[in-house]
Amino acid sequence: MGTLLETQNVCKYFGGLKAVENVDMKVEKGDIFGIIGPNGAGKTTFFNICSGFYAPTHGKIIFNNNDISGVSPDKIARLGMARTFQNIQLFKYMSVLDNVKTGFHIKTESTMTDAILHTNRYKKDKEYVNEKSIEVLKKVGLSKYAETKAGNLAYGIQRKVEIARALALDPTIILLDEPAAGMNPNETDSLREFIKQLNEDGYTIVVIEHDMKFVMRSCNQILVLSFGQKICEGTPEIVKADEQVHQAYFGKGIIAGKGLQ
Amino acid sequence: MKHFIDTIKSTYGKYKVIVWIICSLLLLIFPALIPSNYVMGVVCRILFYATLAGSLNVINGYSGQMCIGHAGFFCIGAYIEAILATQYHINFWVLLLVGGIITAIIGGLIALPTLRMQGIYLSIITLGFSEVVRLIALNWTSVTGGAMGVKGIKSPTLLGFTLSSPKQYYYIFLVIGIVFIFVTNRIINSRTGSAWISIREDELAARSLGIEIKKYKILNFMYGAFWAGVMGAAYAPYTRYIDSTYFSLDEGFNILSMVIIGGQGTLIGPILGAAVVNSLTELLRSFSEWRMVAYAVLIIAMMWLRPQGLVGASDSVLAGDKMKKKKIKVLAKEEK
Ligand SMILES: Nc1ncnc2c1ncn2[C@@H]1O[C@H](COP(=O)(O)OP(=O)(O)OP(=O)(O)O)[C@@H](O)[C@H]1O
Ligand SMILES: [Mg+2]
């Protein structure tokens, strides 16, 4: 299938703090790729580097055969990478529909002049966005919330809206930062189904998640970070069996082995 | 209250066309109904400030940048008109556009280095910029006339008529205002407008959606500056004389107060703000100094109780969680 997203020796230092240190990753097309690690391991920072929000201190990021190290987020989004945030960044005072509509920005191109003169390009864009955003909401199963203010929705649904908005970019890869945080077990189960479905629809997915069961069941490849460094990468079986992973999560000995079953 | 508003809304819906025709006619014959030149002067000022405050609202209200030196842009437009009209006898209508375009370019140049700054830092830069512009106007005597200002600015003509009294100038300000509202409304409801609003609502999210923050912030600044320049160019021949004292920081705060009181993030807000503030100015004229105190109190009260302004965008970060709290209170009441 080929590699879609690759990092080589990526580092990010905040002053003396090595938040991410020499991380290599290879995400293949069609993967559901999990990133796990204890709190403060550098997972979110790593995502921010991949999506252009931080420039790496060292190292290289290659996406779809483009070197995107230090490239701005808007350019990376245009290359086909979408993301969500750990602390949900919705336009909370806008309706769900308007949130998704805003996501179509890079899929349209009418200018200020088009808007003033109401040219054909302007009208076409409007029509396209209206049609497509309804389509996206339907696909994600949020049609009934179309007119609801995003900030008034339950946590779990907000996370889904954020994913819907990301889908508007028509990305090839989606980075999800703890999509199950704040969800109850039922919601988590349906989220897993949903992510599987997205993957079957052709999206490559990279997901940061604390919920071990979730990761072990959903992902075909897993990267484990601890104190900024990669301590393990491989299939769920390999990660489950890895001694260092157990140590990172549970310390040496004692209750090791229990949590990963 | 809600019932009352609904009644108005449904009545309006039924007689929409008639309402529009009546309003247009009223606006058209308005000067004929008002005999007093003094009242006409106040009306002109309201119309004029409605557009000027509107141009600031494009920046502060729609993209969430905080410009407080708007008098600087206004000043540039006014001097461009005054100088080019008195020395090179260029047509007023051409100068409206020239004033707007040059001011827009300067606005872009100011926005460029300040892009990385946010909130209070951008505010301070625009404040400094406004003072620099005023000082240049005051000290570049050979071009701006220095402290003497520019005198004898010609009134505009249209089809052979000279438009000079407030009654005539009313139509100039009215037409510019209508064009401003029309064009701005279209932009706000377009891809460009939603990019501005998305930056105001959540810059991080906007970036993740591929929206070019820098480009849209500059565009926004330029568009707001353009209309401030146009209004400057329209203003100079109205007073026929300008000097640097017209464009002090006080003037900047005056414009800002209209936006804050009337409402940010809606097209109607600055119009209402201009009406309220200018009417108050007239009513409180005899209290001179106390007038400023009244404004200050009004602005503080506004930011406290209704940060988005009287008719500002309630569903936005401008209103913040003020609205939410109210909603919860209402819900709690209903439950009781
Ligand atoms: N902008 C920043 N400036 C300074 N330090 C930062 C910054 N962002 C993150 N850090 C630090 O980098 C380290 C990694 O943080 P990061 O948020 O990437 O961890 P994480 O793995 O996502 O943790 P969590 O599971 O809690 O989300 C932490 O020690 C954090 O304090
Ligand atoms: Mg994190």
Side-chain angles (χ1 to χ4, degrees):
Chain A
M1 285 284 258
T3 306
L4 189 55
L5 178 64
E6 184 178 356
T7 67
Q8 299 170 353
N9 294 315
V10 161
C11 306
K12 179 72 194 177
Y13 303 155
F14 296 109
L17 177 78
K18 297 180 172 176
V20 173
E21 171 86 329
N22 277 326
V23 174
D24 291 327
M25 174 183 77
K26 252 190 186 176
V27 179
E28 306 290 325
K29 253 179 213 146
D31 272 352
I32 300 183
F33 192 101
I35 298 178
I36 60 173
N39 286 107
K43 306 179 293 294
T44 299
T45 306
F46 186 59
F47 255 25
N48 283 337
I49 300 169
C50 292
S51 54
F53 281 78
Y54 292 154
T57 312
H58 300 294
K60 219 168 160 187
I61 307 118
I62 296 152
F63 173 49
N64 229 344
N65 301 321
N66 301 292
D67 184 351
I68 56 162
S69 332
V71 170
S72 65
D74 59 88
K75 295 213 181 79
I76 294 178
R78 270 160 217 272
L79 288 172
M81 187 190 298
R83 67 166 293 180
T84 64
F85 295 85
Q86 186 168 351
N87 320 304
I88 311 184
Q89 302 282 343
L90 280 176
F91 305 118
K92 57 181 179 176
Y93 297 102
M94 290 189 200
S95 70
V96 168
L97 186 64
D98 284 341
N99 265 280
V100 175
K101 277 184 177 176
T102 312
F104 280 101
H105 185 86
I106 61 171
K107 292 280 132 192
T108 50
E109 50 188 11
S110 58
T111 61
M112 234 157 99
T113 324
D114 290 319
I116 297 169
L117 302 175
H118 275 193
T119 60
N120 276 334
R121 185 156 62 168
Y122 168 85
K123 287 177 196 153
K124 237 189 246 162
D125 275 357
K126 276 264 144 155
E127 241 168 67
Y128 174 84
V129 170
N130 286 342
E131 227 167 77
K132 282 282 180 176
S133 42
I134 289 171
E135 212 172 273
V136 166
L137 284 184
K138 210 178 260 167
K139 179 186 168 99
V140 180
L142 290 174
S143 299
K144 65 176 165 182
Y145 299 115
E147 298 305 328
T148 314
K149 218 123 283 148
N152 292 348
L153 291 167
Y155 224 53
I157 301 170
Q158 287 196 25
R159 293 217 177 262
K160 258 189 151 176
V161 176
E162 212 187 5
I163 296 174
R165 190 181 63 183
L167 289 179
L169 307 187
D170 191 19
T172 47
I173 195 166
I174 310 178
L175 314 187
L176 305 171
D177 197 345
E178 302 201 16
M183 285 188 175
N184 63 34
N186 279 338
E187 286 176 318
T188 308
D189 277 344
S190 85
L191 179 75
R192 194 175 56 228
E193 286 306 311
F194 177 59
I195 289 176
K196 276 237 166 78
Q197 187 58 50
L198 285 180
N199 185 245
E200 275 162 28
D201 292 345
Y203 298 99
T204 301
I205 288 163
V206 184
V207 53
I208 293 176
E209 195 41 75
H210 270 303
D211 188 329
M212 208 52 75
K213 221 168 81 187
F214 182 97
V215 176
M216 292 299 164
R217 283 199 195 159
S218 319
C219 302
N220 59 325
Q221 280 288 317
I222 295 169
L223 169 77
V224 190
L225 291 179
S226 176
F227 293 109
Q229 296 188 336
K230 175 165 106 175
I231 55 171
C232 180
E233 184 179 1
T235 59
E237 289 70 36
I238 293 174
V239 171
K240 254 186 222 171
D242 192 276
E243 189 59 31
Q244 265 187 306
V245 176
H246 283 264
Q247 281 182 19
Y249 269 88
F250 307 104
K252 283 185 184 165
I254 320 179
I255 52 166
K258 277 251 159 80
L260 295 188
Q261 301 311 308
Chain B
M1 185 66 191
K2 194 161 180 338
H3 178 71
F4 178 67
I5 292 171
D6 285 344
T7 320
I8 290 181
K9 265 189 191 156
S10 71
T11 319
Y12 170 74
K14 249 188 252 165
Y15 304 106
K16 202 171 172 183
V17 182
I18 300 172
V19 170
W20 272 94
I21 290 173
I22 292 175
C23 284
S24 315
L25 272 178
L26 268 180
L27 280 175
L28 205 63
I29 60 165
F30 190 73
L33 303 176
I34 307 289
S36 149
N37 247 337
Y38 162 74
V39 175
M40 229 28 234
V42 177
V43 170
C44 276
R45 222 174 38 236
I46 292 176
L47 276 180
F48 161 77
Y49 273 117
T51 309
L52 188 56
S55 72
L56 177 60
N57 176 45
V58 169
I59 300 174
N60 289 11
Y62 282 105
S63 79
Q65 309 187 78
M66 190 65 191
C67 171
I68 55 181
H70 213 51
F73 297 130
F74 174 40
C75 179
I76 292 168
Y79 269 95
I80 287 170
E81 206 287 339
I83 294 164
L84 294 182
T86 49
Q87 302 201 354
Y88 301 95
H89 309 287
I90 298 173
N91 183 286
F92 167 79
W93 306 102
V94 175
L95 287 180
L96 275 187
L97 216 60
V98 172
I101 291 169
I102 295 178
T103 312
I105 292 169
I106 294 172
L109 293 178
I110 296 300
L112 215 51
T114 57
L115 281 174
R116 289 187 174 279
M117 299 175 209
Q118 279 181 347
I120 191 75
Y121 298 103
L122 179 67
S123 305
I124 291 168
I125 296 272
T126 59
L127 200 73
F129 157 76
S130 175
E131 270 305 85
V132 167
V133 170
R134 186 184 67 81
L135 289 171
I136 290 174
L138 178 62
N139 293 308
W140 196 9
T141 313
S142 60
V143 175
T144 63
M148 304 291 290
V150 184
K151 289 192 215 54
I153 305 165
K154 268 179 304 183
S155 298
T157 56
L158 186 65
L159 307 170
F161 290 101
T162 303
L163 306 167
S164 58
S165 73
K167 276 194 185 194
Q168 296 157 336
Y169 231 95
Y170 166 87
Y171 290 104
I172 295 183
F173 287 147
L174 182 66
V175 169
I176 296 178
I178 289 172
V179 173
F180 169 74
I181 294 290
F182 178 81
V183 172
T184 307
N185 182 42
R186 287 202 158 178
I187 293 175
I188 293 306
N189 287 306
S190 76
R191 179 170 175 268
T192 307
S194 65
W196 289 347
I197 293 172
S198 72
I199 293 171
R200 174 190 82 193
E201 290 296 307
D202 192 329
E203 191 167 326
L204 213 54
R207 281 168 78 189
S208 80
L209 299 178
I211 292 170
E212 305 101 317
I213 304 293
K214 285 185 190 172
K215 174 180 147 185
Y216 281 100
K217 279 188 172 177
I218 292 177
L219 206 58
N220 176 267
F221 230 82
M222 289 180 76
Y223 183 74
F226 172 84
W227 283 101
V230 169
M231 290 324 287
Y235 180 74
Y238 178 61
T239 56
R240 287 184 226 154
Y241 165 79
I242 56 166
D243 68 42
S244 64
T245 58
Y246 285 34
F247 309 102
S248 60
L249 289 182
D250 282 353
E251 178 58 25
F253 292 135
N254 189 31
I255 305 166
L256 186 66
S257 72
M258 295 178 204
V259 178
I260 291 176
I261 292 169
Q264 309 185 59
T266 58
L267 287 174
I268 192 82
I271 300 176
L272 183 70
V276 169
V277 171
N278 286 297
S279 307
L280 269 182
T281 305
E282 292 310 315
L283 292 175
L284 302 178
R285 205 167 263 295
S286 45
F287 300 94
S288 58
E289 269 101 68
W290 288 102
R291 201 175 69 202
M292 301 322 279
V293 177
Y295 286 157
V297 170
L298 199 58
I299 289 175
I300 291 170
M302 201 49 110
M303 294 195 135
W304 184 265
L305 298 168
R306 220 180 141 80
Q308 77 272 36
L310 284 174
V311 289
S314 305
D315 275 323
S316 73
V317 289
L318 297 169
D321 287 333
K322 277 264 152 30
M323 294 317 277
K324 228 184 208 165
K325 272 180 209 149
K326 234 182 231 163
K327 226 182 264 163
I328 291 169
K329 261 185 212 160
V330 171
L331 284 178
K333 255 186 212 158
E334 275 170 7
E335 270 170 23
K336 274 179 200 166

